[in-house]
Amino acid sequence: MANATIMTLINTYGYLAVFALIAFENIFPPIPSEIILTFTGFLTIGSSMTVLGAIIAATLGSVLGAGLLYGVGRLIDTTRLERLLNTRFGRLTRIKPQHITKATDFFNRYGGQAVFFGRFVPIVRSLISVPAGMAHYSFSRFLGLSTLGTLLWNAVLISAGFLAGDHWQGILATIESVSDLVLISSLLMLSGFSFWLYRKKKS
């Protein structure tokens, strides 16, 4: 989806557009949440939208999209999902089998921690819901961790767009340029937390 189209939709439909776009972003990762959220934060300066309202709308959209993908994971296994992605419809999502593999490995290694920290990692934040569903991970825990993770992500980016004002695109460029750093930092935090839990159980 073109950036101009995203901006037009948010500018026209406000909270509803934010909710719908973020829900779709969870299902179709190529839609960039970074531009949706930072531009929304900028729009709150001169519109009837508020930062809090935008955060709530974005979080509800994130949780809806995550819940739908969790349901997909409960219904089909990896083989069937990869077969679906190779169909004409699957190719429209622009999700590749290796993306599913990456998210599955991430979840298998870190479990519930991956559900939370995965919300800060491009591609993984959308697809981590699928392996959680496949593993029949507790839905209540999944919902709680997903809500908390997406709430923090949305709050940071929307607030950044609000604080940056007319310079929100500069903030967006900075966020995009450090995406790899976010991934590495998330993995380090996960590893550290896992080691801490391990030591705590051993003591």
Side-chain angles (χ1 to χ4, degrees):
M1 185 180 294
N3 292 347
T5 302
I6 292 173
M7 295 179 192
T8 299
L9 287 172
I10 298 173
N11 212 5
T12 304
Y13 299 105
Y15 294 132
L16 180 61
V18 174
F19 169 83
L21 286 169
I22 291 297
F24 276 115
E25 184 267 339
N26 273 262
I27 302 170
F28 302 102
I31 298 177
S33 68
E34 290 85 354
I35 190 170
I36 296 170
L37 297 171
T38 52
F39 179 67
T40 297
F42 163 67
L43 275 187
T44 61
I45 298 173
S47 70
S48 59
M49 288 196 300
T50 65
V51 170
L52 179 59
I55 292 172
I56 292 172
T59 301
L60 290 175
S62 297
V63 172
L64 173 62
L68 290 174
L69 286 182
Y70 176 92
V72 169
R74 289 293 293 261
L75 294 173
I76 62 178
D77 56 25
T78 303
T79 302
R80 291 174 62 190
L81 180 57
E82 290 180 351
R83 191 180 303 132
L84 175 63
L85 292 176
N86 286 322
T87 65
R88 185 176 181 181
F89 169 76
R91 286 191 289 271
L92 288 175
T93 67
R94 296 174 64 186
I95 299 173
K96 299 178 180 179
Q98 54 263 40
H99 292 155
I100 298 295
T101 301
K102 179 180 178 182
T104 300
D105 291 344
F106 195 54
F107 177 79
N108 289 340
R109 184 172 183 181
Y110 298 109
Q113 301 165 50
V115 175
F116 174 77
F117 286 105
R119 300 301 168 188
F120 310 106
V121 183
I123 300 295
V124 170
R125 67 169 160 262
S126 298
L127 300 181
I128 197 66
S129 307
V130 176
M134 289 178 175
H136 287 207
Y137 185 75
S138 167
F139 182 69
S140 59
R141 291 182 181 177
F142 168 81
L143 194 63
L145 290 168
S146 296
T147 301
L148 182 58
T150 55
L151 177 64
L152 290 173
W153 175 255
N154 296 337
V156 168
L157 267 68
I158 289 173
S159 297
F162 171 77
L163 294 172
D166 292 333
H167 303 290
W168 69 273
Q169 290 179 310
I171 296 294
L172 175 62
T174 301
I175 292 169
E176 291 175 339
S177 69
V178 300
S179 59
D180 289 339
L181 180 60
V182 171
L183 173 58
I184 293 170
S185 299
S186 297
L187 290 173
L188 288 174
M189 284 189 291
L190 277 170
S191 299
F193 186 62
S194 298
F195 180 72
W196 177 78
L197 284 178
Y198 173 77
R199 289 292 300 272
K200 186 176 181 181
K201 289 180 180 178
K202 294 287 287 186
S203 60

